[in-house]
Structure formats: structure tokens, C-alpha cells
Amino acid sequence: MGYDVKVFGEGLDAEYVEWLVEERWPEIQTHFGKMWEYYANPIMDLHQTGAHTAQRKANESGKCYVLAQEYGLPARITGLTRCAEAGVYGGRPVGDIRRKEVVIENDIAWRINAAVDFLFGKPISVVSRAPDGRKRAEIEGIIKAVFSANGGIGFLQDMAVLGAVYGFVDCMVRPGREIYEQISNPSSNLSYEVVLGLARAIGLELIEAPRALPVLDENDYRKVIYYVQHFQQAKNKIAGSGKMLNRLLGRDGETRQVVSVTEITSAEAWQRYEDKELVAEGKLPWGFLPVVHIQNLAQPFYYEGQSDVEPLMPIQDELNTRLSDRASRITMQSFKMYLGKGIEGFAERPISPGVMWHTDNPDATIEEFGGDDDHPSENAHIEEIREAMDKISGMTPLVAGVIRTKLGNLTSAVALRLTMMGMLSKTER
């Protein structure tokens, strides 16, 4: 079945909703999904990835897992070429190139988390400016009750993480059943305690970027006229076609049922579809779209804001590449190696204290080579990469409590402010 959007009037086209779900949604899944993978850098056991080529290459290095940020490493390190269609964990083997030592240092995550702690390290206070003292206290209490019912400081920290990773976050206001009942049977004599109870029934749902498909006004990109969500929802059921799907994926066992959910909301009505079948709809009494849109950093003429993760991804790839190169060099050079000439069976003889070798060949020799050498240019390059990430993110290690050099006397508030100028200005924005 298709989408029947007559309840929204003539302003919403069913074919456009179909295009958003079928064409636009896969694009934003790939785009925003990669940002989250770079932030979280999840570990994946190779038997779960379905990438048998990656499994064979990784097993050569003795590791049975891969990390998401390996996506940006060159083939000379991973032994795999990657493309967007293959996903973060997919890949195609490159000839006889063996997988090298892979080192991933996630500099993105600690910067995001430190910024969130800096912004919402403690609960915020909402202050009413109503002239009447009693009314001012009641308004502040109602707003506090709404946020407390939705997780308090945890809600704000989650909102900040999603905004920093994706560049924006949307919040859907979902009034509870008690509020609908109050609207159906309005009463003008509500006590403050009753109002607080109604406030606690208001749900604030954070909408992550990969599921948001806003329909903007054609003449004003700042105005959202319809809000479409599309996502996959796991059910507490086993899929009827699970065996066939598992057989295609090379897995055993059953598969949990998953449905494709599409929600459409306007100022007057809402609908919910599961696998393109209408399962619920209704009218909304508010007269306005109950969605709050928050940009991380303002980006003119775009619905999306600027992400903190996206500009760091190329630098993060360069850092991981250099760290992996250094690990490979250390592995090759940290152990002494020996070149034996004119000694029969040299490769089979053990090298250990107390072992004596003998030969009748007067020209036989044993040459020692290897051992780690200092590479100042390599270390300087890695340090410059980290400094570049500091500049792009505005987040220095000092903000996270990491002191790498002598800072001198920072008892002056002005000196401390200059040291953290990037972080402070970003927080103000």
C-alpha cells in the first residue's frame, strides 16, 4: 500500500513522501551514519560483519575484530579497499597485501564528550521574567517539572551529543493522555498541583538526524510545514521470513522482526505507517507543529547545522594512518634480526642464551640488524595532526584535564580565558 495523506490537505504530496522514504532516506542514512560510527567507533566481531574478506585479512594479524574508523585507513594498512556501498565494515581484498598493525586512537569522541560536559556539566536553571513573584515561581516550577520528567540533565546531555555529532537535533513534543483528556474536557479551575501533574505528562522525544525528513516551506527554508520520520523498529517477535534472510546472509537461527515505520506530523494531524500500511492517525489540537529544531552551529540557508564530527574525520584518518605506520615500523624494528651466511640449517636453529653454533665454513658470518630508531619527523607530524584537530574542534586537551606542557601561571582569569578561548566562544554560540 502507498501513503494516503488526504488528512493533511492539499499541501502534502504522497509521491513526495514516497520519494523522501525511498530515495532521500538511504542517502542521509549513509551520510549521518558514518558520522556516528566515527564518533562511537564501535568494535565489531568479524563473524558479525558478514565480510569474509575482511575476516581473512584480519586473522592474518591475529585479531578477530575491526573498528569503525578503519574505514578511513589506506589499503596498504588494512589490505582492503572500501567504498560507501560496502559500509564501514565491508571491503574488497587487494592482491597479496597483508594486513599491517592497525592502531585507532579516537580523538573525536573525547572532544565531543568534553564539550558536552563543559556545556551541560550541571543542571541548568530556567528563570522566568514575569513581574508577579508567585506567577514567576509557578512558571519556573512547571518548566522544571517537564525537564525532570524527561531525564533532567541526562536529556540535555543526550541532546548535545546528537547535535554535536550530526549538526542538529530535533525534539518532538508529545503530550500525554492526561493532557488530551484535559483538552477534551477543559476546566478553568486547575490547581497548581494538577498543572504540575499535567506538565510531567509531556514527553520530549529527541529525533536523531538519520530518521528526520522535514518538509520545508518552498519560500522559507527556516519554516517546517510537515515533519516526516522514517526508521526501522525492532519488534518483540521472530520474523516469518527469518530463515530465508539468515540463509542469504550466511547465518544460522531466527531473525527478530523489523518493520519500517513512517510518521508524518503537521500542525493539525498525524499519521503512522508500518511497512507503508496506515496503522494509526488522528487530529492535533495545538495549531502549531510540535517540533523544536536546534542547530549545533548555525549554517545559513541549510536546515542542518555544522557538525563537530564531519570536519574532524579526514584529520582523524590521517592520525590513525600515521599511528598505524609507526606501529608497523616498531613491530619490524623493535626485535633484533639475524642474517646468517654459510651456516647450514640456520633458519631451524634456536636463538637463545647458552646455545652454541658451529660450522666448518671459514667464510660463515652472522649479521645483526633491526632495533628501533628515533624518527623525529614522524613524531613531529603526529603532533601537528593533533594540533590541527585542536584548531578545527576548538577543543584543546587542557579542557579535558590533559596538561602536556608547562602552562605557567594561570591564576589570572584573563589568562585562563585566553587559553580556553576556542571552547568558550563555541559554547557561547
Side-chain angles (χ1 to χ4, degrees):
M1 297 180 63
Y3 297 103
D4 183 4
V5 295
K6 296 178 182 178
V7 69
F8 300 105
E10 299 180 356
L12 185 62
D13 182 43
E15 292 184 359
Y16 183 69
V17 176
E18 184 86 19
W19 176 84
L20 285 175
V21 172
E22 298 296 333
E23 303 292 337
R24 177 61 178 162
W25 184 73
E27 293 178 0
I28 67 172
Q29 283 289 303
T30 301
H31 177 67
F32 290 118
K34 195 175 299 180
M35 293 182 187
W36 183 263
E37 298 288 355
Y38 263 77
Y39 162 71
N41 193 33
I43 189 172
M44 178 70 74
D45 293 336
L46 284 169
H47 75 274
Q48 297 177 344
T49 64
H52 302 293
T53 55
Q55 183 172 1
R56 180 172 62 82
K57 288 288 185 181
N59 286 342
E60 293 176 356
S61 68
K63 295 180 180 179
C64 59
Y65 62 86
V66 293
L67 294 167
Q69 288 187 11
E70 292 187 27
Y71 178 85
L73 294 179
R76 61 180 171 80
I77 294 177
T78 63
L80 300 170
T81 57
R82 304 178 188 271
C83 60
E85 290 76 11
V88 173
Y89 298 103
R92 182 169 54 86
V94 181
D96 296 329
I97 298 179
R98 295 177 61 88
R99 181 182 174 90
K100 307 299 189 300
E101 298 287 338
V102 176
V103 178
I104 302 295
E105 182 177 329
N106 190 358
D107 267 35
I108 292 178
W110 74 258
R111 295 171 190 274
I112 299 297
N113 294 336
V116 171
D117 292 340
F118 199 87
L119 184 63
F120 291 120
K122 59 182 180 180
I124 63 173
S125 299
V126 179
V127 179
S128 170
R129 301 186 67 179
D132 182 77
R134 179 180 176 181
K135 186 175 183 180
R136 182 167 59 248
E138 291 179 348
I139 292 175
E140 294 173 358
I142 291 170
I143 296 177
K144 184 178 180 180
V146 172
F147 281 103
S148 297
N150 288 275
I153 188 64
F155 169 81
L156 298 174
Q157 290 174 343
D158 291 344
M159 179 181 66
V161 169
L162 293 175
V165 173
Y166 297 124
F168 74 96
V169 60
D170 294 332
C171 180
M172 175 78 73
V173 181
R174 296 187 183 275
R177 178 176 53 84
E178 298 88 341
I179 295 181
Y180 280 101
E181 293 176 354
Q182 177 61 32
I183 293 176
S184 302
N185 302 292
S187 174
S188 58
N189 298 319
L190 294 177
S191 65
Y192 178 63
E193 289 72 19
V194 173
V195 174
L196 282 181
L198 294 174
R200 296 187 184 98
I202 297 176
L204 302 179
E205 179 185 354
L206 295 176
I207 309 299
E208 57 179 350
R211 61 192 284 185
L213 298 167
V215 180
L216 308 181
D217 190 320
E218 296 175 350
N219 300 315
D220 188 355
Y221 74 96
R222 297 167 297 182
K223 184 178 180 181
V224 182
I225 52 179
Y226 301 100
Y227 196 82
V228 181
Q229 296 182 62
H230 186 75
F231 55 94
Q232 304 292 322
Q233 185 177 47
K235 296 290 188 178
N236 296 329
K237 298 179 181 179
I238 299 299
S241 58
K243 293 183 178 179
M244 179 179 296
L245 179 61
N246 282 322
R247 191 159 47 245
L248 293 174
L249 297 176
R251 301 174 181 171
D252 297 325
E254 299 287 352
T255 298
R256 188 175 179 180
Q257 182 180 353
V258 178
V259 298
S260 297
V261 178
T262 305
E263 288 191 3
I264 308 173
T265 307
S266 72
E268 291 81 21
W270 64 274
Q271 285 184 331
R272 179 184 174 94
Y273 294 85
E274 293 185 0
D275 292 332
K276 294 187 178 181
E277 182 177 350
L278 183 63
V279 296
E281 68 177 356
K283 294 288 186 178
L284 292 177
W286 324 124
F288 58 88
L289 188 66
V291 177
V292 179
H293 174 62
I294 307 166
Q295 286 188 336
N296 179 46
L297 294 175
Q299 186 171 211
F301 308 114
Y302 285 90
Y303 182 82
E304 302 83 1
Q306 296 178 8
S307 166
D308 288 339
V309 172
E310 189 172 18
L312 293 176
M313 289 167 60
I315 309 298
Q316 180 69 65
D317 290 339
E318 178 68 11
L319 175 62
N320 291 336
T321 299
R322 297 310 160 200
L323 292 174
S324 298
D325 285 340
R326 185 171 66 177
S328 179
R329 175 182 61 78
I330 292 174
T331 299
M332 293 295 296
Q333 297 185 356
S334 60
F335 299 96
K336 295 292 184 182
M337 293 176 282
Y338 302 90
L339 175 63
K341 299 180 180 179
I343 303 176
E344 296 179 1
F346 178 77
E348 288 77 24
R349 299 190 180 190
I351 301 176
S352 61
V355 175
M356 298 183 64
W357 299 346
H358 67 88
T359 180
D360 296 331
N361 185 358
D363 298 325
T365 60
I366 297 178
E367 299 178 9
E368 181 184 82
F369 64 97
D372 192 22
D373 297 323
D374 186 29
H375 290 71
S377 60
E378 182 181 77
N379 296 331
H381 183 59
I382 292 175
E383 188 64 26
E384 289 173 359
I385 294 173
R386 297 186 192 278
E387 291 178 359
M389 298 188 78
D390 293 345
K391 295 175 184 176
I392 294 173
S393 66
M395 174 71 66
T396 65
L398 178 63
V399 177
V402 180
I403 301 177
R404 297 187 297 189
T405 58
K406 295 181 180 180
L407 298 176
N409 187 355
L410 287 183
T411 56
S412 167
V414 176
L416 186 60
R417 185 175 182 83
L418 288 174
T419 305
M420 298 185 178
M421 181 62 71
M423 187 66 251
L424 293 173
S425 61
K426 192 171 188 178
T427 303
E428 290 293 333
R429 292 179 64 188

